[in-house]
Amino acid sequence: MIVTIFLLSVSLIVALIFLGAYLWSVKSGQFDDDYSPAHRIFFDDNLERSKNQKTR
Amino acid sequence: MTQAEKFYYDNKSVKLFGIATLFWGVVGMLVGVLIAFQLAYPSLNFGIPYTSFGRLRPIHTNAVIFAFVGNAVFGGAYYILQRVLKTRMYSDLLSKIHFWGWQLIIVFGALTLALGYTTGKEYAELEWPLDILITIIWLVFGVNMFGTILKRRERHLYVAIWFFIGTWVTVAMLHIVNSFELPFTWLKSYSLYAGVQDALVQWWYGHNAVAFFLTTPFLGLMYYFVPKAAERPIYSYRWSIIHFWALIFIYIWAGPHHLLYTALPGWAQALGTVFSIMLILPSWGGMLNGLFTLRGAWDKVREDPILKMFVVALTAYGMATFEGPMLSLKNVNAISHYTDWTIAHVHVGALGFNGFLIFGMLYWLIPRMWGTTLYSKKLANTHFLIGTLGILLYAIPLYWAGFSQSLMWKKFTESGQLQYQFLETVTHVVPMYVLRALGGTLYLCGTILAVYNLRKTMLAGTFIANEAAEGIALRDQPMPKGKHHWHSVIERKPIRLLIFSLVAVSIGGMVEMMPTFLIDNNVPTIAAVKPYTPLELQGRDIYVREGCYTCHSQMIRPFRDEEARYGEYSKAGEFIYDHPFQWGSKRTGPDLQRIGGKYPDSWHYRHMNDPEEISDGSIMPPYPWLLEDDLDTTNTPKKIRAMQKLGVPYPKDYDKIANRELREQAERIAENLRKDKIKADSRKEIIAVIAYLQRLGIDIKQDKTAQK
């Protein structure tokens, strides 16, 4: 069943890509802060709307 | 002092994808409802090729997965990417190509499937030119996404982005590996893999399509829209990161659980089961993280249709991902496989998790992009209600049908005979099919309400095509303290290079390795198993064209009842000339692997023309066109040459005499039919189908008789 070896190697390539991405993300400090990212997504109100609210 | 840059979010692409989601949602579900009713009322097949179940079912699955869900993922991802990365999409042109290219694929996909051009591999039915187009458009999406990531104004990649990256990388790989095929006309090809190998690749793809097209992108959407709609941050950000990495590392190995008790090697089956059971942890991690986000907000959930839908979506996700590992236990799978249980299982995920997450997302997104509020909260609440009822009415009867039918299949009388004819087990579940179809109709009604409600919302507001925002460029932001690693200098451009080169290298490498890997397969061969004759090959291609595999399996599991009903269990060596494999995944009709020689030719002739005439109460569609249409034999030499290239041992120059042999065999079958008082024309397609069906599974039988 050569195809199993082939699929294993393809799956391993994907896994290695993800491993690389994981190592990069840890090293570059992506996960150093696990508090503010969850809150940051709320600070994107568009400018026009917030301006309108101020003038009101 | 660094200045914040002003820029605009592109809402137009999100709008286009959103509208396409609704449009294809209605189309895909409408086809789904039709085929659900066909299972109870076969006359709804209308006796013409384009509306028969075997062709419509792939249209339904492709439409809901790649058109409805696909467009929703792209739209949601485009909205989220821009906002959490604080930048416009990398290229407006690429966004446009991505959108229109994808719609082109969908339209051509539906047309070719209706015309019978299919690879015969579930969820990957589109033929080779469309496979190439999908690859190109997927690359366009990738360039656009990674380009956006690289020009971001926010150093941290929010967890949703990780889910989209995981989706993109894996789907690219899956699609390419599963689509290796040898074209022999401009719309038709044979799978490069055969039999067991084809099955393994297909279900490695099929399972991961569920994982990386229907799950990971939806968790990405969930991690943005659930907190946004609930107006509180995700319960645990750390948890989200851990469960993301766990999920993508485990998911890719679970595919073989679709092939338990088949001719796949036992160790591969065990591997699939082990990883499937491990999956419950990261899956539930995501579900609980989403549900816990709503802690203290349950008063809002009571009021807000969007949050209600998200709660049901997450609950459905939790149920489906608990059920999944259970179904991959061999003893449970022995009961569930080939029955409607699987169909119920996937629809809990599809209607509950995917569907409701999409509708919740659209109810949240569209008012915001049109600068208004939702037209009618009441209608949305009604949608929630009938949608939920629809899911229940869909799933419960089907669970019942699957379970009871499986028990009936396995039941023996005291004297050791099978208690039920196959047909009896079918007519037993038909009432459940009616209920299921009604459930589906309810769900579709909910979708139509959503279309109306959202259309009214759009008309009430003014579309904000370009939404203004501000952010400080990444290069002007200070690096976080203590993070000046050696790679921080090369962080921006080289990463782009790295990603693209990795992708290019792995794709390129695979393309090179493929042919050497696959032609010489070392599946244990059985001397008695011979290649198909030209007429049988033509018949097999018709079998694939009509989508017979959507209702009939060709894989007898090593159980007492299956051996008693269908004959000796299937061996890996019996399928080595099957490009593609046709094991199927559902037995709406009986297994066909050893149908050869079981009935006379005339039985098949009459049965294909009108199944109900032969078996009273049969729900199989009629195939009268097979009796009327001439078999196209002009492509026989091409097909033989293609098979030779794939390693099927036809003699040298066989393609030149193939059509002569085809004629002779066709004449013999027509002669047989004439003996049974059927005036059959040997040039018709039905003759080839009969030849193929009569060949199925007899090689091994003849071997046994010869040895005696």
Side-chain angles (χ1 to χ4, degrees), chain A residues 1-4 6-8 10-11 13-15 18-19 21-22 24-25 27-28 30-32 34 37-42 44 46-49, chain B residues 83 86 154-157 162 166 170 173 197 200-201 204 224 227-228 232-233 237-238 241 245 248-249 253 368 467-468 483 485 495 514 517 522:
Chain A
M1 286 283 290
I2 281 179
V3 79
T4 53
F6 175 67
L7 284 186
L8 283 174
V10 170
S11 302
I13 291 173
V14 182
F18 285 136
L19 187 66
Y22 174 71
W24 169 81
S25 59
K27 269 196 171 176
S28 65
Q30 281 288 331
F31 307 135
D32 289 1
D34 62 3
H39 294 262
R40 204 180 291 127
I41 62 167
F42 296 99
D44 69 354
N46 73 61
L47 296 174
E48 265 102 39
R49 199 180 298 159
Chain B
R83 276 149 187 92
K86 291 267 173 289
E154 168 54 58
R155 198 173 301 276
H156 178 81
L157 300 175
W162 283 112
T170 320
M173 195 79 77
Q197 312 210 11
L200 184 59
V201 176
W204 175 79
Y224 185 82
K228 281 296 228 181
R232 52 195 62 214
Y237 193 73
R238 178 181 295 191
I241 300 292
W245 291 106
I248 59 162
F249 279 117
W253 307 101
R368 268 167 189 76
E467 194 177 317
K483 288 296 157 209
H485 292 293
I495 283 178
M514 283 314 289
F517 266 146
N522 56 351

Side-chain angles (χ1 to χ4, degrees), chain B residues 522-544:
Chain B
N522 56 351
V523 174
T525 49
I526 302 170
V529 176
K530 297 277 183 309
Y532 295 107
T533 68
L535 187 64
E536 289 157 6
L537 187 62
Q538 292 283 10
R540 187 169 204 275
D541 287 346
I542 295 172
Y543 184 96
V544 171

Side-chain angles (χ1 to χ4, degrees), chain B residues 323-513:
Chain B
E323 196 187 3
M326 294 304 114
L327 290 174
S328 40
L329 295 172
K330 281 189 103 170
N331 41 5
V332 180
N333 196 272
I335 303 170
S336 74
H337 196 47
Y338 293 131
T339 75
D340 289 296
W341 189 339
T342 315
I343 321 296
H345 167 65
V346 298
H347 280 85
V348 167
L351 302 175
F353 179 47
N354 299 116
F356 269 19
L357 204 75
I358 290 174
F359 292 124
M361 171 181 101
L362 291 175
Y363 282 136
W364 189 88
L365 265 182
I366 286 177
R368 268 167 189 76
M369 292 199 301
W370 268 262
T372 178
T373 49
L374 189 62
Y375 168 70
S376 164
K377 210 169 150 182
K378 207 175 152 202
L379 268 186
N381 270 318
T382 316
H383 174 196
F384 167 76
L385 193 71
I386 61 174
T388 310
L389 284 176
I391 296 171
L392 293 177
L393 193 56
Y394 186 105
I396 295 168
L398 269 202
Y399 280 119
W400 192 306
F403 198 72
S404 56
Q405 190 176 25
S406 186
L407 295 186
M408 287 172 87
W409 286 344
K410 290 176 187 300
K411 187 133 174 91
F412 282 89
T413 61
E414 279 172 22
S415 59
Q417 304 291 310
L418 284 168
Q419 168 126 28
Y420 298 103
Q421 293 288 313
F422 189 90
L423 190 56
E424 289 176 85
T425 74
V426 176
T427 47
H428 177 78
V429 298
V430 164
M432 268 80 99
Y433 285 163
V434 178
L435 288 178
R436 178 268 287 270
L438 291 175
T441 311
L442 263 187
Y443 193 89
L444 172 64
C445 291
T447 307
I448 291 166
L449 276 188
V451 172
Y452 174 76
N453 201 355
L454 290 169
R455 178 78 199 130
K456 281 283 189 187
T457 309
M458 290 177 194
L459 291 173
T462 355
F463 179 61
I464 308 157
N466 297 293
E467 194 177 317
E470 273 182 353
I472 298 167
L474 212 52
R475 59 173 183 276
D476 295 334
Q477 293 179 19
M479 279 299 276
K481 242 186 174 180
K483 288 296 157 209
H484 289 275
H485 292 293
W486 56 271
H487 52 78
S488 65
V489 194
I490 52 164
E491 203 166 36
R492 265 148 236 139
K493 277 179 198 162
I495 283 178
R496 183 184 331 209
L497 195 73
L498 187 76
I499 290 168
F500 291 139
S501 56
L502 258 180
V503 171
V505 165
S506 50
I507 293 172
M510 271 159 25
V511 172
E512 280 173 41
M513 289 183 299

Side-chain angles (χ1 to χ4, degrees), chain B residues 197-219:
Chain B
Q197 312 210 11
D198 199 29
L200 184 59
V201 176
Q202 158 61 25
W203 285 112
W204 175 79
Y205 162 89
H207 176 74
N208 287 307
V210 174
F212 289 92
F213 205 87
L214 298 171
T215 307
T216 52
F218 276 78
L219 290 169

Side-chain angles (χ1 to χ4, degrees), chain B residues 665-683:
Chain B
Q665 195 184 357
E667 272 311 321
R668 283 199 299 275
I669 293 172
E671 190 57 42
N672 255 335
L673 289 171
R674 276 193 281 272
K675 276 182 209 153
D676 285 338
K677 299 195 178 63
I678 294 173
K679 281 190 202 128
D681 185 340
S682 67
R683 282 169 307 184

Side-chain angles (χ1 to χ4, degrees), chain B residues 104-175:
Chain B
L104 194 74
I105 293 166
I106 296 166
V107 171
F108 276 119
L111 284 176
T112 50
L113 288 176
L115 291 171
Y117 292 103
T118 165
T119 61
K121 292 168 77 164
E122 278 182 272
Y123 319 116
E125 279 101 347
L126 300 184
E127 265 295 349
W128 68 273
L130 287 169
D131 282 340
I132 292 172
L133 198 56
I134 292 170
T135 313
I136 293 169
I137 298 300
W138 196 255
L139 278 173
V140 167
F141 171 44
V143 172
N144 211 6
M145 176 166 75
F146 287 111
T148 310
I149 291 173
L150 289 168
K151 66 168 207 170
R152 68 190 191 273
R153 293 192 179 82
E154 168 54 58
R155 198 173 301 276
H156 178 81
L157 300 175
Y158 185 65
V159 64
I161 309 297
W162 283 112
F163 278 101
F164 298 142
I165 293 174
T167 301
W168 188 85
V169 172
T170 320
V171 170
M173 195 79 77
L174 293 169
H175 171 68

